[in-house]
Amino acid sequence: MKTSIASALKQFRPGIAPTVVVMVLLPLMVGLGFWQLSRGHQKQVMLDSYAERRAAAPMRSEQLDGTMDPAFRRVHLRGQFDVDHSVLLDNRMRDGKAGVELLQPFHDQASGLWLLLNRGWLPWPDRRIPPAFTTPEPPLNLDAWVYVAPGETFQLHADPADAPWPRLLTAVHPAALWTELGRSGFAYELRAESGPGTYDTTWPVVAMGPEKHQAYAVQWFAMALALLALYLYLGWHNTKEKPHGSGHQSTQHV
């Protein structure tokens, strides 16, 4: 048995170029498949945490700053918006429509903390006209939840640091905003629940669900299997063909 296997391996001739290609691509495809499975697991954990914490009662705003893991936790707020420093998050699509998300500093009376509160999405069909929005002046009672981004937002160009207000940005960094304004503020964005002073507050928790990552993983594994099968086919197919010049050499008589 061992002799037959050794003999078969000696006859396996896939060629140098196919071997190099397989050595490079096969580990890459398998690695991408397992990476997609890992991302899908992370997304599922995130969704489970979101569902559990969104079902809980809102915490008091005084508890927020000392919470070790604030992601998705609900909080009850009472305070006022800072109308002079509005942020418009650009390139936010909803149902195929272009728009922006409106974020404004919110001063909570109970904790004395500044919070960057996302009031929701509003359409922006004509970029020649600035998005129209209004800001309530009297103190409001609001429920919101903490949004912790799963990763850094990809940006082709950095946002200008000294743009006029309301400021149009492609990504928001609360800590940088508080430093610029010279205020003590919460490190994460809060997203308001539907209520007074809000716009469209129906956010997807993740842009791509776990099932999508699992489907991509299956695709990567299938491509890796197909590549391996093709490599084995070429190796055994070449053994059936006589190499060029393998016949008896003719003898020339002088």
Side-chain angles (χ1 to χ4, degrees):
M1 183 67 178
K2 293 182 178 180
T3 304
S4 61
I5 294 176
S7 176
L9 291 176
K10 288 181 180 180
Q11 296 177 1
F12 184 68
R13 299 188 183 93
I16 296 177
T19 299
V20 172
V21 171
V22 169
M23 290 179 64
V24 173
L25 292 184
L26 189 61
L28 178 62
M29 291 177 176
V30 173
L32 287 171
F34 280 109
W35 178 78
Q36 288 288 355
L37 288 178
S38 175
R39 288 291 293 159
H41 176 70
Q42 293 174 6
K43 294 289 183 67
Q44 189 60 57
V45 170
M46 184 183 298
L47 289 174
D48 293 342
S49 175
Y50 172 80
E52 178 183 353
R53 295 183 177 184
R54 291 286 283 118
M59 66 169 60
R60 300 193 310 274
S61 59
E62 303 95 304
Q63 301 173 287
L64 187 58
D65 204 25
T67 303
M68 294 297 295
D69 182 15
F72 308 128
R73 294 192 184 276
R74 300 178 66 207
V75 58
H76 181 72
L77 307 172
R78 177 172 175 78
Q80 289 178 288
F81 287 105
D82 175 5
V83 68
D84 296 325
H85 299 100
S86 301
V87 173
L88 298 171
L89 275 183
D90 200 5
N91 301 322
R92 297 307 194 261
M93 302 294 294
R94 294 285 177 90
D95 299 325
K97 299 178 181 178
V100 294
E101 291 177 14
L102 171 63
L103 293 92
Q104 290 177 310
F106 183 88
H107 190 244
D108 181 68
Q109 295 177 352
S111 63
L113 193 65
W114 280 99
L115 307 161
L116 187 58
L117 192 61
N118 193 325
R119 294 175 55 194
W121 179 89
L122 56 153
W124 191 16
D126 189 350
R127 297 186 70 90
R128 296 170 297 181
I129 304 174
F133 61 90
T134 59
T135 303
E137 294 184 3
L140 297 175
N141 289 300
L142 294 170
D143 287 335
W145 55 277
V146 181
Y147 173 71
V148 178
E152 188 68 20
T153 303
F154 176 75
Q155 295 177 269
L156 290 174
H157 304 286
D159 292 318
D162 56 350
W165 304 96
R167 186 171 291 177
L168 185 64
L169 303 176
T170 56
V172 64
H173 304 280
L177 177 64
W178 304 134
T179 300
E180 179 183 354
L181 299 180
R183 299 173 183 175
S184 175
F186 188 57
Y188 300 104
E189 169 191 339
L190 274 78
R191 292 183 166 180
E193 298 180 2
S194 181
T198 63
Y199 291 94
D200 185 348
T201 57
T202 54
W203 290 282
V205 182
V206 292
M208 184 187 299
E211 65 284 349
K212 284 286 187 180
H213 289 284
Q214 294 169 2
Y216 285 140
V218 170
Q219 290 179 8
W220 282 117
F221 290 141
M223 286 191 290
L225 185 60
L227 178 65
L228 181 60
L230 179 61
Y231 177 68
L232 295 175
Y233 169 77
L234 289 174
W236 296 119
H237 181 72
N238 288 341
T239 63
K240 298 178 181 179
E241 297 181 354
K242 291 183 179 180
H244 295 293
S246 61
H248 295 289
Q249 296 182 355
S250 60
T251 302
Q252 295 182 356
H253 299 279
V254 180

Tab-separated table of all heavy atoms in Angstrom, residues 43 114 122 187 189 206 208-209 240:
chain	number	residue	atom	x	y	z
A	43	LYS	N	-20.703	39.629	14.782
A	43	LYS	CA	-21.954	40.329	14.512
A	43	LYS	C	-23.111	39.713	15.293
A	43	LYS	O	-23.984	40.422	15.795
A	43	LYS	CB	-22.259	40.299	13.009
A	43	LYS	CG	-21.277	41.067	12.128
A	43	LYS	CD	-21.419	42.555	12.302
A	43	LYS	CE	-20.479	43.313	11.366
A	43	LYS	NZ	-20.847	43.153	9.952
A	114	TRP	N	-21.760	66.563	28.961
A	114	TRP	CA	-22.092	66.830	27.565
A	114	TRP	C	-22.138	65.510	26.798
A	114	TRP	O	-21.255	64.668	26.952
A	114	TRP	CB	-21.072	67.765	26.929
A	114	TRP	CG	-21.284	69.207	27.270
A	114	TRP	CD1	-20.630	69.930	28.227
A	114	TRP	CD2	-22.221	70.101	26.653
A	114	TRP	NE1	-21.102	71.218	28.255
A	114	TRP	CE2	-22.077	71.352	27.301
A	114	TRP	CE3	-23.167	69.973	25.633
A	114	TRP	CZ2	-22.850	72.470	26.952
A	114	TRP	CZ3	-23.932	71.072	25.281
A	114	TRP	CH2	-23.770	72.295	25.935
A	122	LEU	N	-32.369	62.679	8.175
A	122	LEU	CA	-33.287	63.523	7.402
A	122	LEU	C	-32.826	63.576	5.956
A	122	LEU	O	-31.626	63.501	5.674
A	122	LEU	CB	-33.391	64.928	7.983
A	122	LEU	CG	-32.134	65.778	8.175
A	122	LEU	CD1	-32.506	67.257	8.119
A	122	LEU	CD2	-31.504	65.499	9.539
A	187	ALA	N	-17.589	59.882	25.706
A	187	ALA	CA	-16.701	59.477	24.612
A	187	ALA	C	-17.418	58.847	23.427
A	187	ALA	O	-16.802	58.669	22.376
A	187	ALA	CB	-15.651	58.502	25.145
A	189	GLU	N	-21.055	58.314	20.855
A	189	GLU	CA	-22.290	58.877	20.326
A	189	GLU	C	-23.492	58.212	20.987
A	189	GLU	O	-23.470	57.019	21.290
A	189	GLU	CB	-22.324	58.654	18.817
A	189	GLU	CG	-23.642	58.931	18.138
A	189	GLU	CD	-23.666	58.423	16.702
A	189	GLU	OE1	-22.572	58.231	16.103
A	189	GLU	OE2	-24.772	58.193	16.182
A	206	VAL	N	-26.219	46.655	12.405
A	206	VAL	CA	-25.046	46.320	11.607
A	206	VAL	C	-25.407	46.466	10.138
A	206	VAL	O	-26.544	46.246	9.734
A	206	VAL	CB	-24.558	44.885	11.895
A	206	VAL	CG1	-24.007	44.777	13.299
A	206	VAL	CG2	-25.662	43.859	11.680
A	208	MET	N	-24.130	44.656	7.717
A	208	MET	CA	-24.173	43.323	7.124
A	208	MET	C	-24.428	42.304	8.230
A	208	MET	O	-23.698	42.257	9.215
A	208	MET	CB	-22.857	43.006	6.405
A	208	MET	CG	-22.848	41.669	5.679
A	208	MET	SD	-21.214	41.254	5.007
A	208	MET	CE	-20.978	42.631	3.876
A	209	GLY	N	-25.474	41.507	8.080
A	209	GLY	CA	-25.842	40.549	9.103
A	209	GLY	C	-24.943	39.325	9.119
A	209	GLY	O	-24.170	39.080	8.184
A	240	LYS	N	-0.494	11.129	-17.445
A	240	LYS	CA	-1.005	10.277	-18.515
A	240	LYS	C	-0.421	10.628	-19.870
A	240	LYS	O	-0.585	9.899	-20.838
A	240	LYS	CB	-2.530	10.368	-18.572
A	240	LYS	CG	-3.207	9.887	-17.295
A	240	LYS	CD	-4.704	10.043	-17.390
A	240	LYS	CE	-5.397	9.598	-16.109
A	240	LYS	NZ	-6.872	9.760	-16.178
